[in-house]
Each structure stands twice: as structure tokens, then as C-alpha cells.
Amino acid sequence: MADRYSFSLTTFSPSGKLVQIEYALSAVNAGVTSIGIKATNGIVIATEKKAVSTLIDDSSLEKVAIICSNIGMVYSGMGPDYRVLVNKARKAAQAYKRVYMEEPPTAILVKEIASVMQEFTQSGGVRPFGVSLLIAGFDEGGPMLYQVDPSGSYWPWKATAIGKNMVNAKTFLEKRYNEDIELEDAIHTAILTLKEGFEGQMTENTIEIGVITGLVATKDDGTVVLPEFRKLSPNEVKDYLANIA
């Protein structure tokens, strides 16, 4: 009986579920672990970056993506689906900037991406995106961290994890996280959380980290916060790994 609804995206099962969305979440849970932590002065997002073969040039692999100067994101799940969402997010950010002459607020861009993902849960001839996203941004409201799921649902988080080691990672974060954590400590905590369920040796080439900070600059009209999202270089990651060894 349940099989009648398993292959239909737009038909609810008798229990009120869209089974294809649950299958999409299974694809997310089979993906590598990704971590997001909000600090008082910024946000860190981190993920495993493992090539399927030693012959692959791992410099071409990108898990953490820069959307615009104040927003970046990472994923767990299917890489090609993520690439499509990154392109849509960048187009939405540029469209906002063209109209308002400023970078989009984090909540606005998250809502745009979530709307795209939700549309793919009620349209014929398509399937849900097989990814969950962690989106980090910094705007007038300060640092914000959001999780977006294949259903199009999104929530703000203080710290969270997605992917195959999600449960253990969240348990670890609940023990280590506090409201007053600063960015440097958040980076160390993110690495330690990834290390909990990491298979093999963790090196600067097997994890990827992105951070966003509010850089303070003084202008004629006073002090403003200029947020900047960037990915840590392999040398920077290597230094952090050496500090926690």
C-alpha cells in the first residue's frame, strides 16, 4: 500500500507524509557531516572534504561556497543539487544588490533559497533537492546561522550539524557550546566536533572551513560593520589542527 505513494512527489500518503521528501532527507543523512556555530563576533561553518579517489585533484572540490561578501553556505547531501542552489543563491544576491545597492540581509536570501526548494516539493516532473544547507550571514542584525532542509523549511540556529554523524555532533555541541563563545573558540569547537566522527586522518586537505566576521571600519558618518565571508586557506587550517592536536 505504501508503495503507491513512494514514487509520487505531489501525493500525500494516508499518514500525511510526502515520502519523496523523506527519501531526500535520507540522501542528506548519507552525506558527509557539516557543522555550523554562531559566535558573538561571527560564524564558522565546517565540513569534511573527502575525494572518492586519491587520483582526484582535491583542489577542485568545493564544499563551502561564497554567495556574496556577507553570506556563505555549506551542504550535506548531493553535490550536483548543491551546485544548482549555489547558482540560484548568487543570482538572487546580485538581483537584490542591483535594486537596493547593498548586499542582501541573511534572512531575505535564506527565504529565497527555501522558496526554491519548497517549489520542488509540489511541482510535477521534478524531485526534491537532495541537500540540506547551513547558511551563514552577517548583516545589521549581527551574525545569523540558518539550516534549510529539502522540504523548504528553515530555522535559525546557535549551533547545529547535518549529515551522517548529525546526532553525535549535536550532542557534542550541546556540551561545548555557550552563549559567549568567540569566533576563535568556535573554530576550534567546529574542528573538534568534526573529529568526533571523522574516518581516517584529519588534515588541512580533508576538511574545509568558512568564517564570517564583522570588520569594523571608520567612515565620515561614524563606525560601521563591514561583514566579510571567507574560506580559510589550507595553511590556516593546518595551524588550527596543530593547536588542538
Side-chain angles (χ1 to χ4, degrees):
M1 184 74 174
D3 290 339
R4 291 175 52 191
Y5 306 95
S6 297
F7 299 102
S8 174
L9 174 61
T10 56
T11 305
F12 282 98
S13 71
S15 60
K17 297 179 179 179
L18 291 173
V19 185
Q20 284 296 312
I21 293 178
E22 294 189 358
Y23 293 164
L25 286 170
S26 296
V28 172
N29 293 334
V32 298
T33 308
S34 298
I35 308 294
I37 302 174
K38 182 172 79 170
T40 56
N41 57 336
I43 294 176
V44 56
I45 52 178
T47 188
E48 301 176 21
K49 186 179 74 170
K50 292 183 178 179
V52 294
S53 169
T54 55
L55 301 178
I56 292 178
D57 179 6
D58 57 14
S59 64
S60 65
L61 301 177
E62 182 187 57
K63 295 292 186 73
V64 176
I66 300 172
I67 304 304
C68 53
S69 64
N70 67 318
I71 298 175
M73 68 184 188
V74 70
Y75 78 100
S76 288
M78 300 178 66
D81 288 12
Y82 175 64
R83 187 172 64 241
V84 171
L85 290 171
V86 166
N87 290 337
K88 288 182 179 293
R90 286 172 175 165
K91 287 180 180 178
Q94 289 301 310
Y96 185 97
K97 188 173 184 179
R98 190 168 63 245
V99 174
Y100 299 102
M101 304 302 294
E102 63 180 12
E103 301 292 0
T106 312
I108 296 294
L109 191 68
V110 168
K111 187 176 180 180
E112 286 288 327
I113 299 171
S115 295
V116 171
M117 296 177 76
Q118 191 279 333
E119 185 179 341
F120 275 66
T121 68
Q122 64 176 70
S123 303
V126 299
R127 63 163 175 78
F129 288 95
V131 292
S132 283
L133 307 173
L134 295 181
I135 303 177
F138 202 122
D139 50 39
E140 293 179 353
M144 293 296 294
L145 173 67
Y146 286 89
Q147 177 181 332
V148 188
D149 282 344
S151 64
S153 302
Y154 62 93
W155 309 269
W157 288 81
K158 297 175 183 176
T160 188
I162 54 177
K164 62 184 177 184
N165 198 40
M166 173 185 67
V167 175
N168 292 335
K170 281 187 176 180
T171 302
F172 186 84
L173 286 171
E174 287 171 359
K175 295 176 181 177
R176 296 292 296 252
Y177 182 81
N178 66 77
E179 299 280 351
D180 301 322
I181 191 170
E182 294 191 353
L183 187 60
E184 285 295 308
D185 292 332
I187 294 172
H188 285 106
T189 301
I191 294 173
L192 288 171
T193 307
L194 281 179
K195 205 169 185 178
E196 280 293 294
F198 198 85
E199 297 174 1
Q201 184 178 5
M202 181 181 286
T203 69
E204 66 273 17
N205 297 317
T206 57
I207 62 172
E208 194 168 352
I209 300 174
V211 296
I212 184 164
T213 56
L215 302 178
V216 179
T218 303
K219 292 187 175 181
D220 296 337
D221 57 347
T223 302
V224 296
V225 176
L226 301 176
E228 178 194 19
F229 182 88
R230 68 184 185 90
K231 293 192 285 187
L232 298 187
S233 68
N235 286 335
E236 289 176 297
V237 175
K238 187 176 182 179
D239 290 339
Y240 280 111
L241 289 173
N243 289 336
I244 66 170

